[in-house]
Amino acid sequence: MFNIFRMDSRRLLKSRTFYIMLAVAVALVLFMCFMLSIMSSPEVLKAMEESGAEVDGADYQMRTYIDGMSQLTFVHECLANGCLLILAGMGMTFFAGGDFAGGYIKNICFARPGRWEYIASKVLIGGVYSGIVTVVSVLFALVLPPFFGLHPAASTIGDMAAYTFWIWLPTWAFSLMAFTMVTVTRSASLGVFMSLFCGAGFPALILGTLTETLGLPRIDKYFISSLVSVSCAPGMVQAWTILAGVAVWSVLYIAVSLLLTKKRDI
């Protein structure tokens, strides 16, 4: 298993797609910083009023909220919108999809017939992939705001490290979902679609609306996109919710992937 993981790690570091995903992550953080700087700029609000645009109290409240953000809150605003999930999911989709498109998996499974080793390696590489994307995004969300005139109040290193950990866990589980989609279709198409659809939170939104209408328990809070939204300095209850949700989804995805690779010819 660890030999396969080392090979996967080398392939990952040589992959052009991996660096494209990192560049997209940085670009998204840049965009969020730009948008928040505009929303908090008094000059922009004044120009909007002078041009006849409707500016109400909510706009000034938003400006006050942005100006009063801590670094922890600012990073959460930049990253909790599903972008990390989408990037990790799509990156894992293209990486695992290349195994089937290039015939890599045939060679691996011929040399190492125990297909659980292949699955275990992908679980580990999903953690590495999502971890690097998460850390890079957090670091740039901390470094870039001053270049846009934003100065969030400093948060402690411990708080930022804890936040990075709690948002990485569901992102890792989401990358396993993408890998499972690849094992279903043996191509990247379904993984890309599901990464976009689920990463944006549509399944949780649809199910949440349905269960609320019917008066049923809100199980949508255990969806991975919902877990990301509560990962900002979670209390004990939220922490256990994240751990339980990540554990259940991860076990489900790993079990399905293992079953598919064992029951179907490579």
Side-chain angles (χ1 to χ4, degrees), residues 9-28:
S9 299
R10 288 194 290 268
R11 289 175 55 228
L12 177 65
L13 295 177
K14 294 179 180 179
S15 170
R16 182 185 304 174
T17 304
F18 173 61
Y19 295 101
I20 290 175
M21 290 298 167
L22 292 181
V24 172
V26 174
L28 288 174

Side-chain angles (χ1 to χ4, degrees), residues 49-237:
E49 286 183 323
E50 292 176 349
S51 64
E54 183 178 350
V55 179
D56 55 22
D59 297 304
Y60 287 99
Q61 290 177 1
M62 178 59 68
R63 174 194 165 192
T64 303
Y65 172 70
I66 295 173
D67 289 340
M69 281 183 180
S70 66
Q71 288 181 316
L72 177 62
T73 305
F74 185 89
V75 172
H76 187 67
E77 290 291 336
C78 289
L79 304 183
N81 52 18
C83 63
L84 276 182
L85 299 181
I86 293 173
L87 290 174
M90 292 184 67
M92 192 64 179
T93 295
F94 291 127
F95 184 77
D99 292 354
F100 293 94
Y104 171 78
I105 190 172
K106 292 181 181 292
N107 297 328
I108 288 297
C109 291
F110 176 78
R112 306 297 291 266
R115 296 183 182 181
W116 69 268
E117 295 181 274
Y118 172 77
I119 300 298
S121 171
K122 285 298 181 289
V123 172
L124 294 177
I125 208 69
V128 172
Y129 205 122
S130 58
I132 294 175
V133 172
T134 300
V135 170
V136 168
S137 299
V138 169
L139 289 176
F140 274 90
L142 290 172
V143 170
L144 291 177
F147 293 97
F148 293 86
L150 299 169
H151 302 280
S155 296
T156 66
I157 295 177
D159 286 342
M160 294 311 308
Y163 176 77
T164 304
F165 172 76
W166 286 113
I167 200 171
W168 165 67
L169 280 181
T171 305
W172 184 3
F174 195 83
S175 72
L176 301 182
M177 181 276 293
F179 171 61
T180 302
M181 296 302 104
V182 172
T183 62
V184 170
T185 62
R186 308 298 173 90
S187 70
S189 55
L190 182 60
V192 170
F193 172 77
M194 292 299 290
S195 295
L196 292 170
F197 183 69
C198 297
F202 290 117
L205 177 62
I206 294 170
L207 183 61
T209 302
L210 181 62
T211 53
E212 185 177 12
T213 302
L214 298 177
L216 300 173
R218 295 291 301 272
I219 61 173
D220 57 292
K221 66 180 181 180
Y222 296 103
F223 279 39
I224 294 178
S225 58
S226 300
L227 298 178
V228 167
S229 66
V230 300
S231 63
C232 185
M236 287 303 297
V237 174

